[in-house]
């Protein structure tokens, strides 16, 4: 209950604020360049599509390039579906009496999307990722399960996990970067080969997971880079950045282009727009964090503080520190 309450306080208020502002304040203005954001010039079309954003099913109902108040919230829908799915799964896993079986079950469930993508590609080798396949939660859960497995071993078998990381040391970050680099070179969202459909998502998540393990236990150049204080404030406001950055971009485009078409945008304008959008989005996301997100986060922390952790809830005593 505390988990769901804290997640709700963290995600819902900011999301529904931005979603409602998009639907009721920005879309009715009918600014020409914003038609590329909404994929329509009819406010009624945007309004009729809004219900699936409010209910977090946009990735199934309106996947891909279809009108929506916040089309990029498909990834947030995947996250919400995962939050609904994971706690009941963990409850069932911890009903298993033999602790050694638990991570095997979690790994099998986590690997199911990979197997599912392989079977779908086998049945239809001409799959187009951006025609829905890419957005569906059941095709993407394995990426989030990488983090679940890391959390499992970090909480329940931390010293053994640390020994594993120290034994492999540089192999972790090298392999992590290699996984990410492989996806950059051979993957892509416009491809339909086996690697793009089946493997690239898992491989990207695995690469990120290896870098996380490196940073959890090892002191090296990679971990010091990711631990730099500069990243902390950006990470704190990253959710707001995710929600509002397209609006900031298109607002600057509207001011620059006025009634001119997008083709009037020159290549060198991109650099200027990049920095303008970066600075403006950071400021606005920071403001939303201070006024809305941070107070609600503190409420969530107080809720957790009133509920003491039970020893053995994860199959082992909670780690100290």
């Amino acid at each position: 209950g505390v988990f769901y309450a804290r997640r709700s306080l963290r995600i819902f208020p900011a999301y529904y604020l931005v979603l409602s502002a998009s639907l009721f304040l920005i879309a009715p203005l009918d600014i020409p360049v914003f038609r590329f954001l909404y994929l329509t010039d009819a406010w009624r079309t945007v309004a009729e599509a809004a219900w699936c954003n409010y209910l977090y099913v946009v990735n199934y109902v309106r996947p891909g390039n279809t009108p929506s108040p916040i089309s990029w919230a498909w990834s947030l829908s995947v996250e919400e579906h995962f939050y609904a799915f994971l706690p009941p799964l963990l409850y069932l896993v911890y009903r298993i009496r033999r602790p050694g079986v638990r991570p095997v079950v979690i790994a099998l469930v986590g690997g199911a999307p990979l197997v599912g993508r392989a079977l779908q590609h086998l049945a239809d080798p001409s799959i187009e990722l951006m025609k829905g396949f890419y957005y569906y939660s059941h095709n993407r859960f394995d990426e989030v399960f990488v983090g679940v497995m890391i959390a499992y071993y970090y909480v329940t078998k931390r010293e053994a996990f640390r020994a594993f990381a120290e034994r492999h040391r540089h192999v972790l970050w090298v392999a992590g970067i290699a996984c990410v680099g492989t996806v950059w070179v051979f993957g892509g969202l416009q491809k339909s080969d086996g690697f793009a459909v089946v493997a690239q998502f898992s491989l990207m998540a695995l690469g990120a997971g290896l870098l996380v393990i490196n940073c959890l236990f090892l002191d090296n150049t990679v971990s010091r880079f990711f631990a730099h204080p500069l990243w902390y404030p950006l990470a704190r406001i990253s959710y707001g950045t995710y929600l509002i950055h397209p609006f900031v971009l298109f607002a600057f485009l509207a001011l620059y282009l006025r009634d001119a078409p997008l083709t009037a945008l020159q290549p060198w304008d991109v650099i200027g727009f990049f920095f303008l959008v970066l600075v403006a989005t950071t400021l606005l996301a920071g403001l939303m964090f201070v006024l809305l997100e941070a107070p609600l986060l503190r409420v969530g922390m107080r809720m957790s503080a009133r509920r003491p952790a039970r020893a053995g809830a994860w199959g082992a005593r909670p780690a100290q520190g």
Side-chain angles (χ1 to χ4, degrees):
V2 172
F3 170 81
Y4 280 126
R6 287 185 60 182
R7 283 290 82 193
S8 298
L9 289 170
R10 179 72 183 97
I11 294 172
F12 292 161
Y15 172 69
Y16 285 125
L17 172 65
V18 175
L19 172 59
S20 298
S22 172
L23 177 61
F24 296 110
L25 297 179
I26 301 175
L29 296 176
D30 192 26
I31 300 171
V33 73
F34 270 76
R35 297 169 188 171
F36 292 93
L37 180 66
Y38 293 117
L39 299 174
T40 180
D41 58 358
W43 180 82
R44 182 174 294 278
T45 302
V46 176
E48 290 173 350
W51 69 269
C52 56
N53 283 103
Y54 278 97
L55 297 181
Y56 286 99
V57 292
V58 66
N59 60 326
Y60 282 102
V61 179
R62 287 183 170 271
N65 297 319
T66 53
S68 171
I70 306 184
S71 60
W72 55 99
W74 69 267
S75 59
L76 195 58
S77 297
V78 174
E79 180 181 324
E80 289 306 304
H81 299 163
F82 184 78
Y83 283 144
F85 171 74
L86 181 63
L89 170 66
L90 292 181
Y91 175 80
L92 294 175
V93 165
Y94 278 90
R95 302 287 291 180
I96 299 172
R97 297 297 181 183
R98 299 175 61 182
V101 178
R102 295 170 183 166
V104 175
V105 174
I106 295 175
L108 289 174
V109 175
L114 177 65
V115 176
R117 292 196 301 269
L119 293 175
Q120 291 175 83
H121 185 260
L122 189 64
D124 181 13
S126 64
I127 285 176
E128 295 184 47
L129 291 175
M130 306 306 288
K131 291 292 182 66
F133 186 93
Y134 172 76
Y135 304 95
Y136 297 151
S137 299
H138 61 272
N139 285 333
R140 308 300 299 271
F141 274 175
D142 55 323
E143 299 166 76
V144 197
F145 262 101
V146 171
V148 173
M149 294 303 296
I150 292 173
Y152 173 85
Y153 283 107
Y154 186 77
V155 171
T156 66
K157 305 178 187 298
R158 184 176 303 187
E159 293 310 312
F161 203 10
R162 182 188 302 276
F164 166 82
E166 292 176 346
R167 184 165 61 251
H168 293 87
R169 299 195 67 80
H170 296 301
V171 173
L172 292 175
W173 67 265
V174 171
I177 293 175
C179 289
V180 174
T182 300
V183 174
W184 274 86
V185 173
F186 299 106
L189 300 183
Q190 305 301 326
K191 298 182 179 180
S192 58
D193 57 82
F195 179 81
V197 174
V198 180
Q200 69 170 330
F201 306 120
S202 296
L203 198 60
M204 179 67 82
L206 177 61
L210 291 171
L211 292 173
V212 168
I213 296 171
N214 176 92
C215 294
L216 282 173
F217 296 112
L218 304 178
D219 181 15
N220 53 34
T221 302
V222 175
S223 57
R224 287 192 294 272
F225 172 79
F226 285 113
H228 194 283
L230 172 66
W231 306 125
Y232 180 74
L234 296 179
R236 295 289 279 172
I237 66 170
S238 60
Y239 180 47
T241 301
Y242 159 83
L243 288 174
I244 68 174
H245 75 276
F247 298 110
V248 177
L249 170 61
F250 278 84
F252 277 121
L253 283 174
L255 290 172
Y256 179 82
L257 294 172
R258 298 189 181 275
D259 294 325
L262 277 175
T263 52
L265 195 66
Q266 300 300 315
W268 54 81
D269 293 328
V270 173
I271 297 176
F273 272 109
F274 173 81
F275 285 105
L276 280 173
V277 172
L278 178 65
V279 172
T281 300
T282 300
L283 292 175
L284 288 174
L287 182 64
M288 186 167 71
F289 180 82
V290 171
L291 297 179
L292 178 65
E293 297 175 67
L296 294 175
L297 284 171
R298 288 193 290 269
V299 172
M301 293 300 291
R302 288 196 295 269
M303 292 173 58
S304 296
R306 289 197 298 267
R307 183 184 177 90
R310 291 182 302 147
W314 277 79
R317 176 176 293 179
Q320 301 300 311

